[in-house]
Amino acid sequence: MRRILAILLENEPGSLSRIVGLFSQRAFNIQSLTVAPTEDPSLSRITIATSGDDKVLEQIVKQVNKLIDVIKITDLTERSHVERELILIKVLAMNDKSRTEVKRITDIFRGSIIDIGKQVYTIQLTGDAEKLNAFVETLSNETEIIEAVRSGCVGIARGEKALRV
Amino acid sequence: MTTQQFTGAEMVVKALAALKVKQIFGYPGGTVLDIYDALFQQSDVEHILVRHEQAATHMADGFARATGEVGVVLATSGPGATNCITGIATAYMDSIPMVVLSGQVPTTLIGDDAFQETDIIGCSRPIVKHSFNCRNVEEIPNIIAKAFYIARTGRPGPVVIELPKDLLMPMSKGEFHIEIDVKMRSYNPSIKGHHKQIKKAVKALFEAKRLVVYSGGGIIIANASELLTELVEKLDAPITNTLMGLGGISGTHKNFIGMLGMHGSLEANKSMANADVILALGARFDDRVTNNVKKFCPDAKIIHVDIDPTSISKTINANIPIVGLLEEVLQQLLDELDATNFTPNKEERTSWWQQIQQWRDVNSISYVQEGEQIKPQRVIEAMYKITKGEAYVCSDVGQHQMFAAQYYPFAKPRQWINSGGLGTMGFGLPAAMGVKLAFPDSHVICVTGDGSIQMNIQELSTCLQYNLSVVIVSLNNRSLGMVRQWQDMVYGGRHSSSYMESLPDFVKLAEAYGHVGIQINHLDELDEKLTQAFNIKNRLVFVDVLVDEKEHVYPMQIRLGAIDEMWIKKGVKA
Ligand SMILES: Cc1ncc(C[n+]2csc(CCOP(=O)(O)OP(=O)(O)O)c2C)c(N)n1
Ligand SMILES: [Mg+2]
């Protein structure tokens, strides 16, 4: 089962490598990982998309918590939450037909074209992983994908619940 | 007025002194020469010069195991630091408090593949509790204070600190401030057991018909052996110890049913397999205990107390998990038992103890001294008698380790010192040296084998320098006995590379290092010569005992079987 873990940790040298190392050392899976300092620059927040059964997830949460740098970890997928990912995608847009089609698909998915080259469009889209997958697939049926980059997902709990010190 | 300025090297030594460190173990080299210079000019902290950095880590480790204090290591960057790796891993696996100070190339050269540059933080990352880079002089004292705090609290473990040379040299100076009372928002290890869980546990203890207490190294680390003994007596429960937990309760206590696991006693493993409630205290259901986890104690309700949540339900699911410091939780359990006026059900206990007695009667920890050759078990028994069971026994790894664990009942915690988790050959001698340094007036034995002793034999030189009169008892079976045992049992008797065909003359070797060497070859001279060895004061004595090379360690769990499926002796199943 896919899980999204949010981790709050000290923004110190080596703290990210300890998280990544832990996952590889214990053969835990990482589907995506994002990290950035929070509004308090002494803290970083990491979001990891992973998968595993309840037993594995319990170990992941405990093991991450055990790291000295880690202040808190929560499994966002345990309750209702919002998750978002960003994709930047460069596609071939050589003629009128394909340009119109790419524009149309982008509009339907509420993406935006953020750069235009002689033969290419670069599109930006945010959404959850499923929406991004659908977008990529639809586009690839219409034109050639030259390059795509995904940010990995970030997430936050709905309502009052918050992950903070 | 300007406050006094110190170099980083001076700060390192001042911080150690402030933390009441008396001795550190190390080996000099380019990047730490400033620290050595600072050490030279003071007398608070004594430096013990080893002959190999691995030995420094094991020495610090042995010192820590015997005293409960943090063991401190100092090594230079590059090869000095990488030589520490095995010792750090050994300490990590057994949760031993240790701080390793490693030199590093100057910050201006980091990343350039400079001479003797290794990323020791990266190398050691999976085997440390935590690690620190220092990037400015004035943070050094507080980093050291934090490292000590982290190393010794909660579930203890090794902490590595990397000290770049430019921070240590006279060119960068700063003010010295140290806060000994460390507080960290991301780490708060003092925890009591959850009250509801305590209540649940006591209810289960009440209802238990076939209760077993299974305790591990956590009891030793938490200094909780008195509380444990009190609890066991109150419950009138049988208690088994892991290899790491021996001495947690006296090995001669009437409720003690021996070590459990791969080479544990039949009664211990049988009791576990037939228990309806297992109270696990500071133990981690290691694979050398459980045997096949799928067949593990099917009827047992498991109460698992540990300071480290990751140890709970990792391999074996706990029905009643309790996270907390053992010394706290044991007291809570005792209080709650008192509050509910607990007395064990006489009839049920009697029938459980009768059952256990039948397993005890099999006498699974036994051997027959027949033929000319000395049986290794016999040597341990002699050792036990001569030292009245009061020695510190520091073991290497192999058959001799298991014989020592089986045939030397430990009266007290911290008396039995061995590398249980990592199984590091070469641990025994330096560990014994660390213990001897802490307790110069006690008998400190290094039980070893002809294989293991050669993995840190160079430390005989250190022993001479610091007059560490350890008694080395080598059960010399002219082979890597434990390996050969497996080859006999699992690999059709093909002794691939398990012979030591070119052994040195250990007596001469000991003498060459300036010590006393004694060889024991005949059974009838064993007791006398061994006694003689223990009577030699202020000299290290190397006792080379030629033992039966064909002896196997029994009992032994049958691979992939349940915890209590065991070979009692060759070809005989329980
Ligand atoms: C550093 C290291 N290398 C290899 C092993 C694997 N090993 C375990 S026991 C053993 C044999 C030990 O021989 P010896 O010290 O003579 O003890 P004996 O079993 O003969 O009593 C070996 C090679 C180990 N535990 N540690
Ligand atoms: Mg041997």
Side-chain angles (χ1 to χ4, degrees), chain B residues 439-564:
Chain B
F439 299 104
D441 300 328
S442 302
H443 278 311
V444 178
I445 308 172
C446 166
V447 176
T448 186
D450 44 290
S452 295
I453 192 62
Q454 295 190 80
M455 283 213 183
N456 266 317
I457 192 84
Q458 75 288 343
E459 295 309 315
L460 286 175
S461 173
T462 311
C463 289
L464 188 70
Q465 181 174 351
Y466 296 95
N467 191 25
L468 299 172
S469 47
V470 170
V471 179
I472 299 172
V473 178
S474 177
L475 304 186
N476 184 348
N477 54 8
R478 281 82 63 208
S479 64
L480 303 175
M482 190 55 98
V483 169
R484 211 194 39 191
Q485 172 166 352
W486 282 59
Q487 290 171 339
D488 285 338
M489 296 174 78
V490 193
Y491 295 91
R494 291 179 295 280
H495 294 168
S496 176
S497 296
S498 57
Y499 278 101
M500 305 288 289
E501 272 144 353
S502 44
L503 287 177
D505 178 335
F506 286 108
V507 171
K508 277 197 192 139
L509 185 77
E511 287 168 0
Y513 274 106
H515 304 300
V516 181
I518 297 178
Q519 194 180 63
I520 303 180
N521 208 346
H522 299 288
L523 186 59
D524 53 18
E525 59 178 10
L526 174 64
D527 295 321
E528 192 193 319
K529 281 199 174 175
L530 205 55
T531 309
Q532 182 196 335
F534 279 100
N535 282 337
I536 298 174
K537 299 285 172 230
N538 295 322
R539 296 287 299 276
L540 181 146
V541 187
F542 190 121
V543 191
D544 183 33
V545 193
L546 301 185
V547 296
D548 185 353
E549 75 277 8
K550 296 212 172 55
E551 193 65 18
H552 285 179
V553 183
Y554 285 110
M556 183 173 180
Q557 282 173 336
I558 298 169
R559 287 196 317 152
L560 307 179
I563 185 171
D564 61 334

Side-chain angles (χ1 to χ4, degrees), chain A residues 10 21 42 59 62 66 68, chain B residues 125 185-186 308-310 312:
Chain A
E10 297 288 355
S42 74
Q59 265 299 310
K62 285 172 165 181
K66 185 174 163 180
I68 303 293
Chain B
R125 203 213 65 245
R185 63 177 170 182
S186 64
D308 180 0
T310 68
I312 298 179

Side-chain angles (χ1 to χ4, degrees), chain A:
Chain A
M1 193 187 146
R2 181 167 175 272
R3 320 279 190 141
I4 299 169
L5 304 176
I7 303 164
L8 209 56
L9 74 170
E10 297 288 355
N11 183 9
E12 266 169 25
S15 51
L16 175 62
S17 79
R18 279 190 268 268
I19 300 268
V20 176
L22 173 69
F23 272 73
S24 74
Q25 170 191 353
R26 299 200 180 256
F28 300 146
N29 155 288
I30 298 182
Q31 287 167 358
S32 78
L33 183 152
T34 67
V35 58
T38 66
E39 73 288 355
D40 170 354
S42 74
L43 294 172
S44 285
R45 178 155 168 159
I46 294 180
T47 313
I48 296 181
T50 181
S51 62
D53 59 22
D54 287 347
K55 196 175 156 75
V56 171
L57 195 85
E58 184 183 327
Q59 265 299 310
I60 295 180
V61 170
K62 285 172 165 181
Q63 293 286 358
V64 170
N65 236 331
K66 185 174 163 180
L67 294 174
I68 303 293
D69 290 331
V70 169
I71 297 172
K72 276 184 182 161
I73 172 169
T74 178
D75 177 1
L76 291 173
T77 23
E78 257 181 359
R79 55 189 83 221
S80 77
H81 67 282
V82 186
E83 84 179 71
R84 288 290 179 272
E85 187 172 355
L86 172 80
I87 186 170
L88 300 177
I89 184 164
K90 197 173 279 185
V91 297
L92 219 51
M94 305 250 281
N95 51 37
D96 276 357
K97 181 176 167 284
S98 73
R99 282 180 195 158
T100 332
E101 202 45 35
V102 167
K103 173 87 174 69
R104 196 180 66 84
I105 295 169
T106 304
D107 287 345
I108 291 172
F109 278 86
R110 294 175 205 277
S112 45
I113 296 166
I114 54 169
D115 187 49
I116 294 179
K118 266 198 201 126
Q119 306 195 333
V120 299
Y121 277 6
T122 301
I123 309 156
Q124 165 191 311
L125 180 78
T126 55
D128 61 18
E130 236 171 86
K131 177 178 165 187
L132 265 53
N133 291 343
F135 180 60
V136 173
E137 200 188 322
T138 315
L139 268 183
S140 67
N141 289 335
E142 284 311 322
T143 181
E144 189 183 328
I145 294 171
I146 295 169
E147 184 184 349
V149 52
R150 293 172 70 146
S151 63
C153 77
V154 293
I156 200 162
R158 283 190 190 274
E160 311 298 308
K161 204 168 161 38
L163 183 68
R164 49 195 299 214
V165 183

